[in-house]
Amino acid sequence: MFLIRILVFLHVFALRTTRGRLLGKFRGMDFGAVETIGTKSGKHRYIPLLLVPYEDGVILIASMGGSNNHPSWYWNIKANPKIRVFWKGQTLNLIAEQVTDEKKAELWPLICSFYASYDAYQKKTKRNIPVFNCQPIPGID
């Protein structure tokens, strides 16, 4: 577990300092560092996540590998939907909105086209994997 924490820390560090240019691609998939505010701590939290480009922002999928529990960042975004994403040489200030089941069904083929395992993850768990549409905050660059 300690080794995984070190690797995640290094991945996030590289993504943040290069705004996603270094270690932002893996097997053709786009990764970025997502900054949230901790629900309980109020501290800035960073997590490397696969990002699906959509409209002027990105889609985030709270799959946690098909676990029956939401990832911790899910709760952070629900409590404070203003996030920052370091991706493709940019820093994006976004607002995350959990999509409805109908919108999720519409987006699911796009999501799975970026990472086919999401379909297996959804089948593996009883929970409805949350999907967030993250778009620019009006008036903030």
Side-chain angles (χ1 to χ4, degrees):
M1 191 65 168
F2 178 72
L3 180 59
I4 291 172
R5 286 180 186 242
I6 294 288
L7 292 173
V8 168
F9 172 82
L10 292 173
H11 193 192
V12 167
F13 179 78
L15 290 168
R16 283 182 57 207
T17 56
T18 67
R19 292 183 302 186
R21 284 188 219 112
L22 182 62
L23 300 178
K25 272 260 195 240
F26 181 71
R27 294 186 176 179
M29 297 177 289
D30 290 326
F31 282 83
V34 177
E35 178 184 359
T36 65
I37 303 296
T39 303
K40 295 177 184 173
S41 69
K43 294 180 180 178
H44 292 259
R45 302 290 184 196
Y46 301 90
I47 184 81
L49 292 175
L50 181 114
L51 304 172
V52 176
Y54 183 67
E55 296 175 342
D56 294 327
V58 297
I59 296 170
L60 300 179
I61 303 91
S63 66
M64 202 163 154
S67 167
N68 285 323
N69 299 310
H70 294 310
S72 58
W73 64 262
Y74 166 86
W75 301 108
N76 294 345
I77 288 178
K78 290 297 282 186
N80 186 354
K82 291 180 182 177
I83 63 171
R84 195 161 26 165
V85 175
F86 303 89
W87 179 56
K88 291 189 173 185
Q90 305 172 74
T91 301
L92 305 172
N93 292 298
L94 307 173
I95 190 91
E97 180 181 345
Q98 188 170 346
V99 302
T100 63
D101 289 344
E102 293 78 22
K103 185 67 174 176
K104 177 183 171 182
E106 177 187 321
L107 293 172
W108 201 247
L110 171 66
I111 291 166
C112 291
S113 75
F114 278 83
Y115 187 59
S117 293
Y118 281 133
D119 215 27
Y121 293 167
Q122 184 58 79
K123 291 174 183 166
K124 178 180 167 184
T125 184
K126 292 179 182 175
R127 79 182 163 95
N128 184 7
I129 293 176
V131 171
F132 291 89
N133 181 6
C134 307
Q135 295 301 315
I137 300 169
I140 296 187
D141 293 325

